[in-house]
Amino acid sequence: MNRTKEFQELRPLLFSIAYRILGSVAEAEDAVQETWLRFDGSPTEVRSPKAFLSAAVTRISIDVLRSARVRRETYVGPWFPEPLLADPYDDPERSAELADSVSMAALLLLERLSPLERAVFVLREVFDFGFPDIASAVGRSETACRQLAVRARRHMAAGRPRFDADRRERDALASRFFEALHDGDMAGLQDLLAADVSLVGDGGGKAPQLARAVAGARNVARLLAAVFPALDRVEVTCERHEVNGQPGAVFRDRDGRVLQTLSLDILDGRVQAVRVVLNPDKLAHLGPVADAWTISERLKRTRRPAETD
């Protein structure tokens, strides 16, 4: 098998590793491309393409993450990962686990780890790499990697997200949520929300905050019931879609351009968190992006008296 074919077969795995380390689709794709250049340009025989490529993409991702975190220190407002609609890596025996590991909640929790801890945790806990391969990938001894894994698991344990094991029940609740959202049914929405639910939007200073940080079932239900039916009046459509492995939706303007994504964390039969990504830089990989500022102005012109209270 030639190197091009070997790389293409492993590309889904490489992207999935890079995305979980970086939380960025664009940066993960760049890391995978750089990995290919190193693989293609290697003058020596590669005995294990999987080990070589996984190590290369991990090292590249660690370096990118270190510089990215410096930039995030000046990020405007809450920071969320770039929304991922489909993980290219699939393992039928671990599909639920892989979906949970790429959720917004899990990726935000990974932000608590150092770059090395994050890489070791992803390789070990998500993709089940052995410590010899992990040590080679991160440039540390096996003993050091085991210690990094222990620290990473300890940091993750306290706040590690859990999702409903019965995905059919989860999806049924999500369907009720989106029906109530479409109808502007505040009471129906409130009944589906956890008492301490939070609604947070990531606009990065580049889009209006259509969903400011709000906490509490009543407050979140009231805002959702006001804003999302209003979007329908300006011809914004809601397209149900899994976002980062969890129930969600992509909202598009009348020309089909992406306005925002919305994802839900569901546990114990209630929506625990609603996360909206509005930053156009984080939506570009999904296709043409709508002008959120123009839509915001149209919303103001069509606002009903009850919505101005």
Side-chain angles (χ1 to χ4, degrees):
M1 185 184 299
N2 61 41
R3 287 190 176 183
T4 300
K5 188 171 182 180
E6 290 172 331
F7 175 79
Q8 290 301 331
E9 287 188 356
L10 289 165
R11 188 180 190 116
L13 172 63
L14 302 178
F15 173 87
S16 295
I17 291 171
Y19 177 76
R20 285 168 172 82
I21 294 175
L22 293 167
S24 165
V25 172
E27 290 174 347
E29 289 175 342
D30 288 345
V32 171
Q33 182 60 28
E34 177 62 26
T35 299
W36 159 248
L37 295 176
R38 294 187 186 185
F39 183 49
D40 187 47
S42 176
T44 59
E45 180 183 355
V46 177
R47 294 185 178 181
S48 171
K50 180 180 178 180
F52 179 95
L53 292 167
S54 299
V57 81
T58 298
R59 293 191 200 106
I60 292 166
S61 297
I62 289 171
D63 289 341
V64 173
L65 179 60
R66 285 173 174 149
S67 61
R69 286 193 167 174
V70 174
R71 296 193 302 272
R72 288 174 196 171
E73 290 177 359
T74 59
Y75 193 82
V76 178
W79 180 92
F80 289 158
E82 290 183 11
L84 182 69
L85 300 190
D87 187 352
Y89 180 73
D90 182 37
D91 181 347
E93 294 183 358
R94 302 174 62 243
S95 58
E97 182 181 348
L98 288 169
D100 289 351
S101 74
V102 81
S103 69
M104 286 280 185
L107 293 173
L108 288 170
L109 198 55
L110 283 169
E111 286 290 305
R112 301 181 184 182
L113 307 182
S114 71
L116 278 178
E117 288 173 342
R118 184 166 181 165
V120 170
F121 185 88
V122 166
L123 292 176
R124 181 63 180 171
E125 301 298 323
V126 179
F127 295 102
D128 201 28
F129 276 65
F131 280 107
D133 287 335
I134 295 173
S136 174
V138 303
R140 296 292 189 275
S141 68
E142 288 186 43
T143 300
C145 288
R146 290 180 187 276
Q147 292 172 343
L148 286 166
V150 168
R151 288 204 301 268
R153 283 195 294 267
R154 186 184 305 127
H155 287 309
M156 295 288 286
R160 189 168 188 178
R162 297 181 299 111
F163 302 100
D164 284 339
D166 191 325
R167 299 177 75 83
R168 288 177 298 180
E169 290 183 7
R170 182 204 69 176
D171 292 342
L173 188 148
S175 294
R176 291 166 56 200
F177 173 90
F178 282 105
E179 288 173 5
L181 189 68
H182 178 268
D183 296 339
D185 180 0
M186 179 178 167
L189 285 166
Q190 188 171 342
D191 187 52
L192 300 173
L193 302 176
D196 59 350
V197 65
S198 62
L199 168 63
V200 187
D202 174 354
K206 298 184 178 183
Q209 289 297 94
L210 296 179
R212 296 180 180 179
V214 179
R218 180 174 176 80
N219 293 332
V220 170
R222 181 177 182 180
L223 181 58
L224 290 172
V227 171
F228 286 90
L231 288 173
D232 185 61
R233 296 201 297 273
V234 294
E235 300 179 83
V236 170
T237 58
C238 173
E239 177 185 293
R240 286 285 309 277
H241 207 296
E242 279 202 349
V243 178
N244 288 80
Q246 305 303 319
V250 178
F251 289 78
R252 299 180 183 274
D253 71 4
R254 58 190 175 194
D255 297 315
R257 295 172 298 193
V258 178
L259 171 65
Q260 62 189 33
T261 63
L262 180 149
S263 60
L264 305 175
D265 290 352
I266 296 175
L267 178 65
D268 297 332
R270 292 288 185 273
V271 176
Q272 306 291 326
V274 182
R275 296 186 176 92
V276 180
V277 176
L278 292 144
N279 186 338
D281 295 343
K282 295 185 177 184
L283 302 173
H285 64 282
L286 302 179
V289 179
D291 185 344
W293 297 105
T294 297
I295 291 175
S296 179
E297 289 302 314
R298 284 161 49 196
L299 280 171
K300 291 177 183 177
R301 291 196 297 269
T302 62
R303 186 170 296 169
R304 292 170 179 170
E307 295 168 356
T308 63
D309 296 341

